[in-house]
Amino acid sequence: MPDLDPRIHAFRPDLADASLRGTVTAIRYTEPTMRQCMRGVVPLLAEPASNAKQVSQIRYGEFLDVFETRVDGIAWVQNRTDRYVGYIPVEDVLIDTIADLSHRVQALQTFVYPEPDMKTPPLDELTLGSFIQPVDVMGAFTKLASGGYVFSKHIAHATETTTPDYVFTAGRMLGRPYLWGGRTPKGLDCSGLVQLALEMAGIDCPRDSDQQREAFGKPLSCHWRDMPWRRGDIVFFDPRHVGIMTGPDHIINASDYSMTVMVEPLTEIVKRYESIAAAGRPSA
């Protein structure tokens, strides 16, 4: 049988996606139920526990396949956007009424207000790329089908939010905090930065850096110092790390060294990761 990646295939010894029947062995197989996330940002966890490690995140509007909902309110799900599998708390998060999501958030972050009034305490916060369904415009605000209001200039029709220049999108994240498992402007890890930048350019991108390397990477034709690096080149490092070249000499990356999204000389990051590899220390 093939060696399937459990990050993007839903299977456990006791339960598996019915589509994997005959491919993986499990006690029980189940057909998933599609649900939609109606919370700004929700942690996707490695284990069904509130204190488990965050491996990714689910954004408002994303579609999920739900395989199991436990009595403690934690569900085992797969994100249809990047096929990542994990656990999320479901209370006030998922709905079974699927919305027609015609618009996207184009601001890095925007608040959802209970009334079309910026002075009211926000109900939630949406981030760049989140899909929404507007139903009415009231002055400077747009009402959402799921309830609440967002500032109209922070959203646009989905056809108008694609930004082919993914280096520009990555640059919008400069100074944003590093967050393990993060994939929004509120906090990103290295692969989350690359994924979000490519997604906003209309490019399907896997979640983790090794998956991205498999999808986009190829061996260097010469020593890295002799490479004619170009703006937009995606560079992979060992141990797992990834960044985007902003030109021939500099790279933008979400760094656990500075705990921010930063631009630095390629020579510096290579030196740092060579030192990490020599010391045998793990890193993001």
Side-chain angles (χ1 to χ4, degrees):
M1 290 187 178
D3 186 16
L4 298 184
D5 187 344
R7 292 173 295 176
I8 56 173
H9 296 92
F11 65 94
R12 306 182 320 218
D14 64 317
L15 183 64
D17 183 352
S19 67
L20 300 177
R21 188 188 302 269
T23 303
V24 300
T25 300
I27 296 174
R28 184 166 60 93
Y29 300 86
T30 185
E31 293 285 350
T33 302
M34 189 169 74
R35 294 289 185 264
Q36 193 171 31
C37 178
M38 286 291 110
R39 179 80 60 80
V41 182
V42 181
L44 187 67
L45 307 174
E47 303 290 340
S50 59
N51 61 348
K53 182 177 76 172
Q54 175 176 272
V55 292
S56 190
Q57 292 174 320
I58 307 298
R59 297 191 313 243
Y60 182 99
E62 289 191 306
F63 297 105
L64 307 176
D65 284 324
V66 180
F67 300 98
E68 174 190 59
T69 301
R70 296 157 44 102
V71 294
D72 60 2
I74 295 180
W76 188 39
V77 304
Q78 183 170 28
N79 187 355
R80 288 198 170 193
T81 300
D82 57 17
R83 298 161 292 281
Y84 218 83
V85 175
Y87 297 86
I88 66 169
V90 295
E91 184 177 3
D92 299 325
V93 171
L94 301 183
I95 61 170
D96 56 8
T97 304
I98 306 302
D100 178 17
L101 305 178
S102 60
H103 288 60
R104 296 184 86 173
V105 175
Q106 61 180 354
L108 294 183
Q109 295 167 246
T110 190
F111 293 110
V112 180
Y113 298 95
E115 303 292 340
D117 181 356
M118 67 179 182
K119 296 180 181 179
T120 56
L123 300 170
D124 203 351
E125 185 178 0
L126 309 185
T127 59
L128 178 68
S130 296
F131 282 94
I132 60 171
Q133 182 187 11
V135 294
D136 195 12
V137 177
M138 301 184 67
F141 289 85
T142 295
K143 185 178 182 179
L144 303 181
S146 58
Y149 299 81
V150 296
F151 185 54
S152 298
K153 291 184 179 180
H154 285 175
I155 65 173
H157 194 278
T159 58
E160 301 172 1
T161 56
T162 300
T163 306
D165 187 353
Y166 56 85
V167 181
F168 170 80
T169 299
R172 294 181 68 189
M173 309 299 153
L174 280 173
R176 294 283 164 158
Y178 179 94
L179 177 66
W180 183 273
R183 55 187 288 262
T184 80
K186 296 176 72 172
L188 313 99
D189 60 21
C190 66
S191 55
L193 173 67
V194 172
Q195 184 189 51
L196 180 58
L198 292 183
E199 179 192 349
M200 296 308 297
I203 301 171
D204 184 33
C205 179
R207 178 62 185 90
D208 289 341
S209 59
D210 64 316
Q211 299 168 326
Q212 294 171 358
R213 184 174 188 166
E214 183 176 349
F216 305 121
K218 58 183 180 180
L220 297 182
S221 58
C222 57
H223 191 276
W224 67 268
R225 290 185 183 275
D226 300 319
M227 281 291 296
W229 297 108
R230 298 172 300 177
R231 185 178 185 274
D233 283 342
I234 300 174
V235 183
F236 299 93
F237 303 84
D238 287 324
R240 292 180 182 177
H241 191 67
V242 62
I244 305 173
M245 297 300 293
T246 60
D249 303 310
H250 288 75
I251 188 168
I252 184 170
N253 69 122
S255 171
D256 62 350
Y257 172 72
S258 66
M259 292 300 287
T260 60
V261 176
M262 63 183 295
V263 173
E264 59 183 319
L266 178 61
T267 53
E268 289 300 313
I269 193 170
V270 170
K271 183 189 304 181
R272 185 162 68 248
Y273 276 89
E274 285 179 344
S275 174
I276 290 171
R281 292 189 289 118
S283 182

